[in-house]
Amino acid sequence: MNIFFHELKAYRKSTIIWTVSLILVTLLFMSMFPAFARDAEEFKKLLEGYPEGVRKAIGLNLENLFSILGFYCYALSFITLCGAIQAMNLGTSIVSKEVREKTADFLLTKPVTRTTIVTSKLLAAFSSLVITNIVYIAAAAIIASQVKTEDFSLKLLILLSLTVFFIQLIFLALGIILSVVVPKIKSVLTVSLSTVFAFYFLGMLSATSGEEGKRYLSPFKYFDTAYILKHSAYETSFMITGLIVIVVAICASYFVYTKKDIHAV
């Protein structure tokens, strides 16, 4: 438990920064909605001039865009990008920071198993994401209620907002496996940004192709906001895929970390 609380304390500053960042991004986009809704016809004519592939790539759905939740869906494409970077950053630093900061030998001489170390660090990172999302979802609901032009479903808002958390869990798992497989990560942020943006652009390309199967290549496309708005639910096949990615990545991380040689200073 000491490791858990130590890690949670270490993540405190970054948790606050990322939580505030997500809220500010939401506030920035949602503050535009009243003007957007007021001149809906003009904006619709303008956006119809964009190629359909471009609209799909950046998450513009003209059918829902001019409702409060539809506009929020567009904002989510950027909010999830920020959230994914936070999660990837946490996952990648879980183990790699001990090697980078030359504290691995000190930690591994303590009377705790490697499994306990990984579990404590993983729970601390998970807790950080939970705290971030609780505050973020509450803030998103408040912001939406302030800028709305008509009533909206709070349940749908929460379902849409939770996609950020689910995508974060996937990138947290990917970050963990990366941190135990790569011998030494010199810059966590560089690795996190390159990985997240690679999947983000892969998702954009899959959206332009229109092929359903390519959505499985990028976690950013596992949650179709138009589907959520219509059915008030997530797509089962993509939820299962995301769960498999998380479980396999975490199990592999435990296996590799318990077997690998950790070089002392």
Side-chain angles (χ1 to χ4, degrees):
M1 288 302 290
N2 288 336
I3 298 175
F4 168 77
F5 287 115
H6 174 77
E7 292 296 314
L8 195 60
K9 185 178 179 181
Y11 297 144
R12 181 176 56 190
K13 184 177 179 181
S14 67
T15 301
I16 293 172
I17 292 173
W18 280 108
T19 302
V20 172
S21 298
L22 292 181
I23 294 172
L24 288 177
V25 172
T26 306
L27 183 61
L28 174 64
F29 276 95
M30 298 308 290
S31 63
M32 303 176 190
F33 176 72
F36 209 76
R38 188 167 54 248
D39 300 318
E41 288 303 318
E42 287 77 4
F43 278 113
K44 188 172 184 179
K45 290 178 182 178
L46 175 65
L47 295 173
E48 283 176 345
Y50 285 82
E52 186 179 355
V54 174
R55 294 202 304 266
K56 286 183 177 180
I58 60 177
L60 280 174
N61 187 331
L62 295 183
E63 293 181 9
N64 304 316
L65 186 62
F66 300 99
S67 66
I68 182 71
L69 292 181
F71 192 80
Y72 180 60
C73 289
Y74 171 63
L76 269 178
S77 63
F78 301 95
I79 296 167
T80 52
L81 177 61
C82 296
I85 295 172
Q86 177 195 11
M88 189 73 192
N89 207 47
L90 282 172
T92 308
S93 65
I94 278 180
V95 175
S96 65
K97 73 174 183 178
E98 304 298 342
V99 176
R100 189 173 59 258
E101 297 174 5
K102 300 179 180 179
T103 57
D105 55 339
F106 171 76
L107 182 61
L108 294 175
T109 55
K110 298 296 180 181
V112 289
T113 64
R114 292 190 181 191
T115 300
T116 301
I117 292 172
V118 175
T119 301
S120 298
K121 287 173 169 286
L122 180 59
L123 286 175
F126 177 78
S127 299
S128 175
L129 294 181
V130 169
I131 293 169
T132 295
N133 281 274
I134 289 174
V135 178
Y136 160 70
I137 293 174
I142 293 171
I143 293 170
S145 65
Q146 294 300 310
V147 301
K148 67 178 182 179
T149 55
E150 57 185 15
D151 290 335
F152 64 91
S153 170
L154 182 60
K155 176 188 174 182
L156 275 176
L157 178 72
I158 293 173
L159 281 175
L160 290 168
S161 300
L162 281 173
T163 62
V164 178
F165 180 61
F166 295 142
I167 290 173
Q168 283 184 319
L169 292 182
I170 295 173
F171 279 100
L172 176 65
L174 292 176
I176 294 169
I177 186 63
L178 195 61
S179 70
V180 299
V181 170
V182 178
K184 187 176 182 180
I185 298 176
K186 294 182 178 180
S187 175
V188 169
L189 186 59
T190 301
V191 173
S192 300
L193 288 175
S194 57
T195 304
V196 171
F197 276 107
F199 277 110
Y200 188 76
F201 287 117
L202 189 61
M204 292 178 67
L205 291 174
S206 68
T208 57
S209 69
E211 295 181 30
E212 190 73 6
K214 289 185 178 180
R215 286 178 57 196
Y216 289 97
L217 298 175
S218 173
F220 287 105
K221 295 302 176 183
Y222 286 7
F223 300 93
D224 184 359
T225 53
Y227 181 93
I228 297 171
L229 285 177
K230 184 177 180 180
H231 300 280
S232 298
Y234 305 122
E235 294 171 274
T236 304
S237 60
F238 288 98
M239 285 292 290
I240 293 173
T241 302
L243 182 61
I244 291 173
V245 171
I246 293 170
V247 172
V248 170
I250 290 178
C251 290
S253 300
Y254 274 98
F255 178 79
V256 173
Y257 188 69
T258 53
K259 302 293 183 181
K260 72 181 295 187
D261 292 329
I262 307 295
H263 298 288
V265 178

